[in-house]
Amino acid sequence: MTTRTGRHRVVVVGGGFGGLNAVRALEHADVDVTVVDRTNHHLFQPLLYQVAAGILPPGLIAPSLRSVISKQRNARALLACVRELDLERRVVLAEGPDGRMLELPYDTLVVAAGATHSYFGRDDWAEFAPGMKTIEDARLLRDHILSAFEMAEIVTDPRERAEWLTFVVIGAGPTGVELAGQVAELAHMVLPRDYRSVDTTEARILLLEGAPAVLPPFAPKLQRYTHRRLEKMGVEIRTGTLAVAMDDESVTVRGSDGVEEMIRTHTHIWAAGVQASPLARMLAERAGAETDRAGRIAVNPDCTLPGHPEVFAIGDMVSLNGLPGVAQPAMQEGKYVGKVIKARLAGDEKITPFRYLDKGSMATIGYNSAVADAFGMKVTGWLAYVMWAMVHVLYLIGWGNRLGTLYTWMRGMVLSKNRGHRLITFEEAHEQAHREAPTPPAIRPPVHRAG
């Protein structure tokens, strides 16, 4: 239980973009801040796919929460799972790793629990098509991709080999495009010289999208460039196509013409949708607020809950002004909430509503290839890739991680043309080949990131 110091107590649920920015915005405030999360690290999700591709080690994009706030004397971090939000008593109930229950009383509560995967009512597909929201997800996906190539080296039946060398990515948003591009680079550029019995360039990478074009939120010019670039890299793109069934060894898809086709594959990667953390629904029930189809809770213009001005909800789990569930809104909302809390403590009740500054969007396709809609420009190719790299490196936490990322990129993608973090063991390959690996927390429906 938090010791009462007489200072204003702020509990922040979630150490992602929204929660961490709220904590840091309160660094010099006269408050005691407790941030509680199910992991002990802050995750820079935009680069998570590079862990899955063996480009970056996890530590560069997932610094310890404690190290991030170590110099902030008024903040502490707890590794715990939130079980209940008692808005009447103003207490957060969380379970510690040993099962003990913790009571965290608050004067102000900030819930930034993030989002998890959405299988659009087919949660059973999580067993066959893992998504990528956590470090554990990325590690398992990396193990599975590498194990597929190892199995292709072993098997002798051409049909079975083709199944191991078929990779299906479902969803052609930024994550799907980035993953498809990285698998294509692995198969066609990195791995061919490493294998003797199999030609990895025979790998078939399919990218499925229900919308008429890849990168649906982007401008048509950027969509067309991405489509052409992916096809040049060897990716087979199918727009207007939906997955309708799947099991361990296949995916059944339906095209815009209504015709169904079964694709034999051992690797299905889900990048098609997200839904709010279950904490959003819990919070809505406790506050009598509404949620949308994706489970996001409706909040007031100042990010507070209706009828509960002491409770803020931010990030991917909220519905506010139609903002997308990406990093920038969460970061800006976190900073805004920190300012609101400090203004209230100073006696200023005239708080302007949250206003989002759209800084644009970017997606990388492969080495030296990206698209960017930023600074009033729509850029493709090498220049977009440089812009993407600069922006993402600057948003990493700590100069050590920034320099380490730049060095790893230079060493792996420019100098050696290799992937330095593609280690697996027999046990890991065995688990992937037999689907015996336990389902990771982020794809056990439903599980939230922060609590």
Side-chain angles (χ1 to χ4, degrees), residues 131-164:
M132 196 174 58
K133 284 293 182 183
T134 69
I135 287 292
E136 290 78 12
D137 291 342
R139 286 171 172 165
L140 283 172
L141 184 54
R142 180 191 63 191
D143 292 349
H144 187 78
I145 292 171
L146 295 175
S147 296
F149 286 107
E150 294 297 332
M151 288 301 302
E153 174 82 352
I154 292 173
V155 300
T156 56
D157 177 49
R159 181 176 177 180
E160 185 180 359
R161 175 176 290 174
E163 292 176 1
W164 283 110

Side-chain angles (χ1 to χ4, degrees), residues 167-186:
F167 302 86
V168 178
V169 180
I170 305 167
T175 299
V177 165
E178 290 164 346
L179 282 169
Q182 285 305 318
V183 175
E185 286 192 347
L186 275 172

Side-chain angles (χ1 to χ4, degrees), residues 222 225 361-365 368-373 378-392:
L222 306 183
Y225 173 85
S361 52
M362 302 178 177
T364 180
I365 304 165
N368 266 348
S369 179
V371 292
D373 187 351
K378 293 176 175 58
V379 186
T380 61
W382 177 82
L383 179 57
Y385 188 81
V386 172
M387 292 169 60
W388 171 88
M390 290 177 60
V391 168
H392 283 70

